[in-house]
Amino acid sequence: MADSGTEGNGTLSIKDNRTGKEYEIDILDGDVIRAMDLRQIKVNDDDFGMMAYDPGFTNTASTRSTVTYIDGGKGILRYRGIPIEQLAERSSFLEVAYLILKGELPTQAESDEFVHDITMHTYVHENIIDLFDGFRYDAHAMGMLISSVSALSTFYPEAKDVRDADNRGIQIRRLVAKMPTLAAFAYRHHRGLPVIYPENELSYTANFLNMLFRIGGRDYTPDPVLVRALDVLFILHADHEQNCSATAMRVIGSSEADPYSALAGAMAALYGPLHGGANEAVLHMLSRIGSLDNVPAFIEGVKNREERLMGFGHRVYKAYDPRASIIKKTSEEVFEITGRNPLLNIALELERIALEDDFFVSRNLYPNVDFYSGIIYQAMGFPVELFSVLFAIPRTVGWLAQWEELLEDSEQRIARPRQIYVGSDVRDFVPMEERG
Ligand code: CMC
């Protein structure tokens, strides 16, 4: 991790009008000041010092990172410096996983070793199947997946030794390898079907599709176009810097919890409809709208704040999400095999109206990654309950890269924000019989 040097970056002068005192604060990395530098700004010696108030961390950098670069204004996304468009076009998911985790694209030998390692770790302990059997038949796949990842921490107690880099490497490989297996087992439980064990001669995504959709001894050969489309979708979802779930991963990881427990927490953050659960919410929204005739009334509802246009808007992107553009292109290839998803027309009409309407234009609301992903997933045969799971599998790579970076960063400490207390002043306990 590079030093946060201050040389040549200039300073910021602050005048406290309460006291008339002036302070000079170093500017780092272009436009950043250290929040702790504000602490010296005090009215008197007993004063705690100035803090920054930032609900939702909208303007707070929590880390220096080398993993993912986003320019939200220009719609740019790069992993380790390489544009997402090039990776989606020319790479494979496991190659991108290596890039994100290790910082460089692998040589052929490194790639062979990595793919072999991941393939050899795909099996899970048989007791995990008993865990799935404990869930009701209609349990949501994401709820089951979160529980099973958390349970893995009890199978690998040595994972607690998070300061040992070799040990971390083993747990990272295990997690990347086992996520599709756990996800498929959750799905098979939901469908009341026996599990299909991993097949080592298949690729990462082909093996996942096989574990999901193969029935008994009948041969199932996933269509190569769909395998490639899923690989591209996995590449697009592999990391997205300091979003809600990556932040959850880092916050839990900062207490030195094992990676299985931290990852279960990150997955829980992803599950919400404002984050990775949005693809599922988009499908429900499109089904509810039902036909092109209902689109204008729905848009009116959004503008009157009775509805939210799910799959639109982003904290960082104020331009078209580059992942949404790639997904739109990939969907054409998928629909040639599967037939067109009828919900696509509704989505296209929503986008057309929204991109012309001042409500959306003035707020820079564009389709995000979740707007079109669900439509492809549905066409490929994935049930809606599996959509956030399909996000969690590739994002595991990003979460783990962020977790490693955190543990190797000497500036990081246990995450512990401050608050502004606005509750009651001190008051006496009132016995029950005297309470009104
Ligand atoms: N539909 C209608 N209005 C919206 C939407 C939307 N989808 N998103 C934002 N707005 C409005 C919002 O009401 C606000 O208007 P005003 O300033 O008049 O009150 C303005 O736009 C700014 O929105 P915000 O909620 O302050 O923005 P945020 O950065 O806090 O939230 C977001 C970002 C992604 C949570 C939000 O845009 C949203 O809820 N989108 C729908 C859910 C969604 O698609 N989530 C997936 C995000 S991308 C993938 C991922 O992270 O997993």
Side-chain angles (χ1 to χ4, degrees):
M1 180 84 5
D3 273 356
S4 34
T6 58
E7 236 174 279
N9 283 313
T11 59
L12 177 74
S13 296
I14 299 180
K15 183 173 177 195
D16 185 344
N17 293 324
R18 298 170 302 175
T19 59
K21 274 201 217 163
E22 290 197 19
Y23 301 85
E24 195 163 291
I25 290 178
D26 287 328
I27 298 175
L28 330 167
D29 299 289
D31 290 329
V32 183
I33 59 163
R34 279 185 185 280
M36 275 305 284
D37 281 349
L38 298 175
R39 194 68 77 72
Q40 60 185 302
I41 304 174
K42 296 179 177 192
V43 174
N44 54 50
D45 286 347
D46 297 335
D47 189 357
F48 178 78
M50 188 147 293
M51 290 192 292
Y53 176 54
D54 189 10
F57 310 126
T58 52
N59 197 37
T60 296
S62 61
T63 187
R64 297 157 64 75
S65 180
T66 61
V67 183
T68 292
Y69 173 80
I70 300 176
D71 182 329
K74 296 193 182 126
I76 291 173
L77 170 61
R78 298 178 196 141
Y79 298 153
R80 303 286 189 185
I82 304 180
I84 191 70
E85 293 79 7
Q86 291 182 24
L87 292 168
E89 175 91 30
R90 301 172 60 182
S91 191
S92 68
F93 172 66
L94 282 188
E95 189 176 52
V96 169
Y98 186 100
L99 170 73
I100 289 177
L101 288 164
K102 310 251 184 191
E104 295 296 336
L105 286 167
T107 62
Q108 188 62 55
E110 287 165 341
S111 170
D112 292 348
E113 191 188 342
F114 184 67
V115 172
H116 177 266
D117 268 1
I118 297 296
T119 310
M120 289 303 137
H121 282 97
T122 47
Y123 270 65
V124 293
H125 195 288
E126 287 286 295
N127 286 7
I128 287 284
I129 298 175
D130 298 339
L131 179 82
F132 284 116
D133 283 342
F135 285 100
R136 290 179 58 140
Y137 73 94
D138 58 354
H140 196 287
M142 190 70 164
M144 288 191 272
L145 186 61
I146 293 170
S147 305
S148 62
V149 168
S150 165
L152 279 189
S153 73
T154 67
F155 290 80
Y156 304 112
E158 76 280 8
K160 284 188 173 68
D161 191 2
V162 297
R163 290 285 164 203
D164 178 335
D166 292 338
N167 183 25
R168 284 203 304 266
I170 295 168
Q171 312 312 329
I172 287 172
R173 285 195 292 278
R174 279 186 176 140
L175 269 161
V176 174
K178 292 182 200 313
M179 283 296 281
T181 312
L182 295 172
F185 284 11
Y187 170 73
R188 303 288 292 200
H189 175 77
H190 183 70
R191 294 286 315 276
L193 291 167
V195 300
I196 301 287
Y197 289 100
E199 299 262 3
N200 287 353
E201 67 280 2
L202 295 177
S203 73
Y204 191 79
T205 31
N207 176 48
F208 178 49
L209 290 170
N210 190 58
M211 288 189 290
L212 285 174
F213 297 131
R214 186 163 159 187
I215 303 286
R218 192 166 63 92
D219 269 358
Y220 165 79
T221 313
D223 190 302
V225 174
L226 301 187
V227 172
R228 176 61 195 156
L230 189 59
D231 220 55
V232 170
L233 287 158
F234 277 8
I235 290 171
L236 300 182
H237 286 87
D239 192 54
H240 213 234
E241 51 115 314
Q242 309 312 315
N243 51 73
C244 176
S245 56
T247 300
M249 182 83 194
R250 281 177 173 268
V251 168
I252 302 171
S254 77
S255 76
E256 302 196 356
D258 71 83
Y260 301 93
S261 305
L263 204 108
M267 288 170 69
L270 185 77
Y271 195 4
L274 298 190
H275 191 9
N279 51 16
E280 186 174 334
V282 169
L283 249 281
H284 290 310
M285 175 188 77
L286 295 175
S287 306
R288 198 157 48 84
I289 295 172
S291 82
L292 289 180
D293 298 343
N294 298 331
V295 169
F298 181 83
I299 292 279
E300 275 316 298
V302 173
K303 287 159 66 175
N304 295 333
R305 298 179 187 279
E306 292 149 15
E307 303 270 6
R308 189 156 269 244
L309 180 50
M310 300 309 287
F312 256 67
H314 200 275
R315 171 64 59 78
V316 179
Y317 291 119
K318 301 301 167 200
Y320 212 100
D321 181 336
R323 301 168 300 173
S325 315
I326 299 169
I327 289 185
K328 227 171 141 183
K329 220 169 73 198
T330 307
S331 69
E332 285 156 24
E333 290 151 25
V334 168
F335 293 153
E336 275 190 25
I337 307 291
T338 63
R340 200 175 155 95
N341 186 335
L343 295 178
L344 180 67
N345 289 343
I346 300 177
L348 288 169
E349 182 64 359
L350 278 171
E351 179 184 329
R352 189 190 66 76
I353 297 184
L355 294 187
E356 285 174 359
D357 191 300
D358 188 55
F359 177 92
F360 299 91
V361 174
S362 62
R363 289 173 177 77
N364 295 315
L365 299 175
Y366 292 90
N368 59 50
V369 68
D370 291 313
F371 193 63
Y372 287 106
S373 62
I375 296 174
I376 307 196
Y377 290 147
Q378 195 178 50
M380 289 170 80
F382 294 110
V384 174
E385 298 76 31
L386 218 58
F387 289 3
S388 39
V389 165
L390 293 168
F391 199 150
I393 294 171
R395 185 55 60 85
T396 294
V397 166
W399 289 327
L400 291 167
Q402 302 281 344
W403 172 70
E404 272 255 281
E405 193 173 64
L406 165 98
L407 290 168
E408 285 176 358
D409 181 350
S410 60
E411 286 200 303
Q412 292 293 337
R413 303 163 70 185
I414 187 166
R416 206 308 183 184
R418 297 277 174 179
Q419 66 166 8
I420 303 168
Y421 178 71
V422 293
S424 303
D425 206 347
V426 64
R427 54 191 180 137
D428 287 327
F429 177 82
V430 180
M432 180 69 83
E433 55 282 11
E434 290 172 26
R435 292 176 211 163

